[in-house]
Amino acid sequence: MELLEQLRSRQRQDSDMFIHRFSLVHYPVTLVGAASLIDLPQTMKLLQLQAQNIVTSEQPLLALSGGIGEFISQDDIPQVIEAISEGKLIIVPDNADPCVKLTPISRTLSRSIEAPITENVLRGGISAFIEDLDTNIGILKKQTISDRLRVHTYWLGSKQRRKATLLYIDGVVNGSFLQRLQRAIESHQTKDVPDLQALNAMLGFTKWALVTRFNTTELPDSASYALGQGKVVMFLDRLPFALILPSVVVDMFASDNDRSYPSFFMYAIRLLRIIGLLTNMLMPGLYVALVSVNPDVLRIEIAMSIAGSRVGVPYPAMVETILLLVILELILEASIRLPKSIGPTITMVGGIILGEAVVEARLVSNVLIIILAATTIASFTVIGFHNAISIRISKYLILILSSIFGVLGLFAGMVVISAYLASITSFGIPYLSSSRVKEQSDG
Amino acid sequence: MDKSLQVIVVYLLTHVGLIFFMYPTDIIETLEAGHWIAVLLGFAIHIALLTVYLRGLKYGAPNNIIDIFKDVGRWFAMVILFPVALYFTMMIIITVRAYSEIVTLIFLDSTPLWAIMALILFVSSLMAMYGVESIFRTGLLVALLFSPALLLVFSLAFQNVEFLYWFPMIDERSATFSYVFSKPYLLSFFAFTGGFLFLGFIPSYIPYKPRKVLIASTALLPLFLISVYVPLLTFGPSAASALQFPFISAVDTVNVSWLMFDRVTLFFLLSLVGFSMIFLSLVIWKTSLLVRSAFKFMSHIVTVLAITAVIFLICLYIPDWQSVERLLWWNTILRLYVMFVIPITTLAVGLLRHRKGANLT
């Protein structure tokens, strides 16, 4: 019994492992598995039930393997160990017969399906993905009832293994994109993927990109809609959202949930988001450009009133803006870290007390407060937090250029950002393409 | 997939970026009346050459213009394309220098010229480095972002016009075409020749329909007319001819009470500078392609950086606006070469190839 010896010695280092004597009808066996992953009493009950049904059989193990298990040779110790760490139950017979790998009744280690946390739905389904991979696939399959839905599962990583699943609709998905994506995954399958940055590296995208290469969503609706658009949905085990590839610029403005409203409102809302994006990127830069470099552009009354509000502010507009922007970013960051119960306090302290006091103390002008408040609010009109942060960064480039070159810098910054966005492609699909990723389209 | 839209947009952008500064000055200087004839003539020549060029490229498809000429012979290609590379370089130098000068004159009087030139060149060479597909996509996005400002200005520009200045509609000089070889008229072709050559450099993986480009190019005619007639109708011919940038001055007279900005010109001008950056990036990219077809060992990025550095240094050595104008005039020979010789040669070579191909099959 070399296998059992090995497992016992392993048990001394891994107290989670159980090695349990059991009798299947009259057939003595040993059950091995991870106690934290397997609901042992329930599984034993199941085994007994199965065994009673096959009481006539001479070889109950053989019968079991035909149902819910599969054979592993006793000599293949690494595979046994791997099966245990995946949460499978191993039945080791007392003689030298091959052991059986069995899918047991596992403990419930995932929360139940709940409403989304990072996305709000006003008119549409509100069940969200959870950490369990199979549940997610199930939800999505229920949402996308199609005989052309294809599912591919990969085991990624070598030290830390993780299950990943690709879903796409055959015939709709962009073929060359899918091929290149699958090739990238297959050629780096041994790389560990503990986080999305590692996934990014695995797929061969640059590390320093300012925009995300995969859109994320918690909503089965959105994932299903993306499938219909010819995109690929990827699930990673223990990640409560779907990754949608490729990510395109339209994803910032258009969500499938918009389609719950009449078309006119849908376009109006999308226009509003575009305005939000532009406001967020341009307003701080425009303020600095107009106040410190090109005040002549403004109508004289406005120029006077802005100049009036800056009376007593001791430093240039650029410093003033950076100062306040950093404070706002701090508030944003803090409100993500803080527990929900303290969140409103921070809003109060940050928004009202700090804002009021900073103007009273003549440290910044109150026009700037208005502009930056608008900027911050506007940055969250785009869809998805991952998109909101990428536009948060790009406004600083425009701000710096504007402080040097005035309105020219503002426009140059816009061109630079446009050029940057235009240069991004993922597996042949440009970031600036329409939302529908058609077959054979690359532009 | 058909990418005609991107090609058309970039084609229009590059022209729009060039039309509104020097072109009205030159045309108004050429004639005292009947400017529309001069504009129409220039435009007709432009369309004719464009047709010839596109037809030649069609015969040579899917090769780009460099490969078409190389088919005839490496030295033939070298000899015929060398002036083009020279023209492109001159073009970039003049455009960068002129636009920086305009920007300084109009709204950044305290910023040093080299800083503005550095900014314009930096942005353009960055785009050129990203490659032509990226330039096309940028063009589309920038057009979407900037066109509202342009449309606003075009619709406001007619605020102060006096239509009586339209008359006399024709005089002897304009009717007899005696002005065709005059200096300002030859200079005015600057606005026509800048853009259209790029159609021959587009790689075959960006397919487009030549017919669509031709149709879309007629959209430029109203813009050419607006650029000349808005200052003419605002100031009258004699006053307009005294101005350095008549269209900009004409837009400067516009007063809109409901806008928070005093000078609408600024946004118009900056949109044009944005377009010209795209134009510049395209020319830098083309020049890099030409340089690399002669020196194959150079990588794209190195070539672009080298071109940019050389151009920046030359730009620094141009002392004033008079020198820019002199350069522009010297460039006329190259411009005429690029305008006439290249399209016609392309057609000739294309036809030869086409016949040969027909004989073989």
Side-chain angles (χ1 to χ4, degrees):
Chain A
M1 295 308 287
E2 197 198 339
L3 176 66
L4 277 178
E5 283 310 308
Q6 283 264 353
L7 289 174
R8 284 215 176 83
S9 76
R10 204 182 158 80
Q11 193 184 27
R12 281 190 277 278
Q13 296 158 35
D14 179 6
S15 58
D16 186 37
M17 187 191 282
F18 64 81
I19 298 176
H20 192 85
R21 294 290 298 165
F22 187 66
S23 159
L24 265 179
V25 203
H26 306 295
Y27 201 78
V29 293
T30 314
L31 302 181
V32 187
S36 57
L37 299 176
I38 296 173
D39 188 345
L40 193 57
Q42 288 289 338
T43 308
M44 281 159 76
K45 210 189 274 178
L46 173 85
L47 280 177
Q48 288 290 9
L49 213 68
Q50 291 272 333
Q52 274 168 16
N53 289 345
I54 48 179
V55 69
T56 51
S57 168
E58 286 293 296
Q59 283 178 300
L61 268 182
L62 190 68
L64 261 183
S65 74
I68 43 176
E70 100 183 55
F71 281 118
I72 306 181
S73 158
Q74 289 214 13
D75 305 326
D76 196 354
I77 295 168
Q79 210 190 336
V80 171
I81 305 263
E82 197 183 293
I84 292 173
S85 55
E86 277 170 25
K88 296 282 196 290
L89 180 74
I90 303 289
I91 306 173
V92 187
D94 279 4
N95 53 23
D97 284 348
C99 42
V100 174
K101 178 172 96 175
L102 206 75
T103 309
I105 296 175
S106 44
R107 285 177 191 273
T108 330
L109 296 172
S110 299
R111 61 196 165 117
S112 55
I113 299 173
E114 287 161 9
I117 294 166
T118 60
E119 281 164 277
N120 286 328
V121 186
L122 296 182
R123 220 176 174 187
I126 52 158
S127 53
F129 292 126
I130 58 168
E131 282 80 1
D132 184 49
L133 184 71
D134 293 324
T135 314
N136 288 349
I137 298 173
I139 303 175
L140 186 54
K141 281 189 101 161
K142 207 161 168 84
Q143 189 80 35
T144 318
I145 299 175
S146 160
D147 58 334
R148 292 192 297 171
L149 182 66
R150 303 281 183 269
V151 183
H152 286 270
T153 303
Y154 300 92
W155 275 99
L156 307 175
S158 48
K159 282 191 220 101
Q160 228 187 24
R161 287 163 53 81
R162 193 165 198 183
K163 209 166 158 186
T165 306
L166 284 190
L167 291 98
Y168 59 91
I169 295 180
D170 197 29
V172 180
V173 71
N174 182 328
S176 70
F177 172 77
L178 179 72
Q179 225 172 14
R180 288 170 74 174
L181 174 68
Q182 283 179 323
R183 211 181 304 143
I185 295 176
E186 279 157 17
S187 57
H188 298 110
Q189 217 165 342
T190 49
K191 271 192 189 164
D192 288 345
V193 183
D195 46 43
L196 289 185
Q197 232 175 50
L199 185 68
N200 207 30
M202 190 189 93
L203 295 180
F205 298 136
T206 52
K207 213 169 162 183
W208 300 106
L210 286 184
V211 295
T212 168
R213 296 308 181 80
F214 11 76
N215 236 324
T216 47
T217 178
E218 278 191 278
L219 302 170
D221 283 16
S222 306
S224 167
Y225 179 72
L227 284 176
Q229 296 276 304
K231 292 179 184 166
V232 177
V233 170
M234 186 173 186
F235 287 114
L236 284 180
D237 203 12
R238 315 318 295 167
L239 209 60
F241 40 74
L243 307 172
I244 298 171
L245 294 105
S247 127
V248 291
V249 69
V250 183
D251 294 334
M252 263 196 207
F253 310 118
S255 115
D256 71 299
N257 192 31
D258 300 342
R259 290 174 192 277
S260 318
Y261 307 100
S263 295
F264 180 78
F265 295 107
M266 179 178 87
Y267 289 117
I269 292 169
R270 288 181 182 173
L271 183 69
L272 200 65
R273 292 186 189 127
I274 294 176
I275 293 172
L277 171 82
L278 290 177
T279 312
N280 176 62
M281 295 222 289
L282 302 181
M283 283 300 260
L286 193 66
Y287 172 81
V288 172
L290 291 180
V291 166
S292 59
V293 189
N294 292 116
D296 51 321
V297 179
L298 283 173
R299 193 161 278 282
I300 189 75
E301 297 88 344
I302 298 178
M304 293 297 275
S305 88
I306 292 180
S309 82
R310 289 197 79 243
V311 168
V313 176
Y315 27 66
M318 168 75 179
V319 179
E320 182 192 8
T321 313
I322 292 265
L323 209 72
L324 211 58
L325 268 177
V326 169
I327 291 178
L328 281 174
E329 302 285 5
L330 288 176
I331 294 175
L332 280 181
E333 194 52 30
S335 57
I336 295 172
R337 304 280 151 252
L338 280 171
K340 278 209 174 80
S341 47
I342 315 181
T345 325
I346 270 293
T347 327
M348 175 104 136
V349 174
I352 302 170
I353 303 180
L354 210 61
E356 182 61 30
V358 94
V359 173
E360 280 294 302
R362 293 244 163 254
L363 292 177
V364 297
S365 77
N366 39 25
V367 177
L368 182 68
I369 299 250
I370 297 169
I371 285 176
L372 290 192
T375 303
T376 314
I377 294 166
S379 75
F380 291 99
T381 52
V382 299
I383 294 164
F385 184 70
H386 46 277
N387 289 326
I389 45 177
S390 60
I391 64 170
R392 248 162 87 186
I393 290 286
S394 47
K395 70 173 170 255
Y396 289 95
L397 172 78
I398 291 187
L399 184 66
I400 291 167
L401 280 175
S402 311
S403 70
I404 305 172
F405 294 105
V407 193
L408 174 70
L410 185 86
F411 275 65
M414 277 165 85
V415 176
V416 169
I417 288 172
S418 304
Y420 176 73
L421 293 180
S423 74
I424 297 173
T425 57
S426 33
F427 298 126
I429 306 274
Y431 185 66
L432 294 184
S433 46
S434 58
S435 70
R436 197 177 165 76
V437 188
K438 278 177 231 138
E439 184 77 21
Q440 283 166 358
S441 118
D442 43 3
Chain B
M1 194 186 138
D2 183 26
K3 292 199 186 148
S4 301
L5 181 67
Q6 292 183 6
V7 175
I8 288 170
V9 167
V10 170
Y11 175 81
L12 294 181
L13 282 193
T14 49
H15 283 91
V16 171
L18 292 176
I19 291 173
F20 291 93
F21 296 106
M22 273 88 100
Y23 183 74
T25 324
D26 292 331
I27 292 290
I28 291 170
E29 204 179 319
T30 310
L31 287 172
E32 275 158 24
H35 300 87
W36 55 275
I37 300 184
V39 177
L40 279 182
L41 178 68
F43 194 73
I45 294 175
H46 170 73
I47 290 285
L49 290 172
L50 186 64
T51 317
V52 168
Y53 189 50
L54 284 173
R55 179 57 61 87
L57 287 173
K58 203 176 157 195
Y59 284 135
N63 286 352
N64 68 9
I65 184 166
I66 301 177
D67 294 329
I68 292 176
F69 288 155
K70 267 192 177 165
D71 268 3
V72 181
R74 195 175 150 75
W75 285 106
F76 174 76
M78 285 272 227
V79 169
I80 209 156
L81 289 176
F82 177 72
V84 180
L86 200 65
Y87 172 72
F88 283 158
T89 319
M90 293 271 277
M91 185 97 183
I92 303 169
I93 294 169
I94 294 169
T95 316
V96 169
R97 187 61 178 68
Y99 276 67
S100 321
E101 188 89 26
I102 292 166
V103 165
T104 333
L105 273 179
I106 297 179
F107 58 88
L108 276 180
D109 41 11
S110 57
T111 314
L113 204 59
W114 63 266
I116 297 170
M117 293 194 294
L119 177 74
I120 293 179
L121 270 175
F122 165 74
V123 176
S124 321
S125 61
L126 182 78
M127 276 191 275
M129 267 187 249
Y130 283 143
V132 66
E133 283 175 279
S134 174
I135 295 177
F136 280 6
R137 288 196 288 268
T138 315
L140 204 59
L141 187 61
V142 168
L144 280 175
L145 285 174
F146 292 177
S147 51
L150 284 188
L151 291 178
L152 179 75
V153 169
F154 285 146
S155 48
L156 293 176
F158 290 92
Q159 198 185 41
N160 296 324
V161 297
E162 172 57 67
F163 282 99
L164 282 176
Y165 285 129
W166 183 273
F167 302 102
M169 282 181 72
I170 197 162
D171 67 356
E172 198 192 331
R173 191 168 143 78
S174 58
T176 54
F177 296 109
S178 58
Y179 55 86
V180 170
F181 292 105
S182 66
K183 184 175 165 182
Y185 193 65
L186 287 177
L187 279 178
S188 78
F189 282 107
F190 182 78
F192 290 112
T193 44
F196 80 102
L197 271 194
F198 86 89
L199 294 170
F201 287 84
I202 299 175
S204 57
Y205 53 81
I206 307 185
Y208 66 96
K209 300 243 160 56
R211 179 174 297 276
K212 285 190 188 168
V213 177
L214 262 179
I215 295 170
S217 68
T218 51
L220 285 175
L221 183 60
L223 297 180
F224 278 111
L225 287 172
I226 286 178
S227 79
V228 174
Y229 271 95
V230 164
L232 274 181
L233 300 183
T234 308
F235 302 116
S238 43
S241 64
L243 296 165
Q244 193 177 11
F245 302 113
F247 187 80
I248 306 294
S249 310
V251 175
D252 249 340
T253 63
V254 171
N255 181 23
V256 192
S257 53
W258 47 265
L259 209 63
M260 67 182 274
F261 299 107
D262 205 20
R263 293 174 66 194
V264 199
T265 342
L266 186 78
F267 292 93
F268 174 71
L269 204 70
L270 287 169
S271 306
L272 295 188
V273 174
F275 292 170
S276 72
M277 282 173 182
I278 290 179
F279 165 70
L280 282 172
S281 70
L282 204 59
V283 183
I284 295 177
W285 174 77
K286 283 187 280 189
T287 320
S288 152
L289 213 59
L290 284 174
V291 171
R292 280 193 305 141
S293 71
F295 307 101
K296 287 208 171 61
F297 56 89
M298 288 170 83
S299 76
H300 177 58
I301 291 182
V302 173
T303 321
V304 169
L305 285 177
I307 293 171
T308 316
V310 169
I311 286 169
F312 184 61
L313 286 178
I314 298 176
C315 283
L316 287 181
Y317 277 100
I318 300 176
D320 49 19
W321 183 252
Q322 272 72 39
S323 325
V324 177
E325 286 188 329
R326 212 175 309 136
L327 263 184
L328 201 59
W329 175 235
W330 289 347
N331 206 13
T332 306
I333 303 165
L334 283 175
R335 187 176 314 123
L336 291 176
Y337 172 83
V338 164
M339 250 179 93
F340 290 101
V341 177
I342 294 294
I344 292 170
T345 322
T346 313
L347 182 64
V349 173
L351 268 176
L352 272 178
R353 240 178 72 121
H354 188 65
R355 293 251 171 85
K356 221 187 271 172
N359 285 344
L360 282 177
T361 47

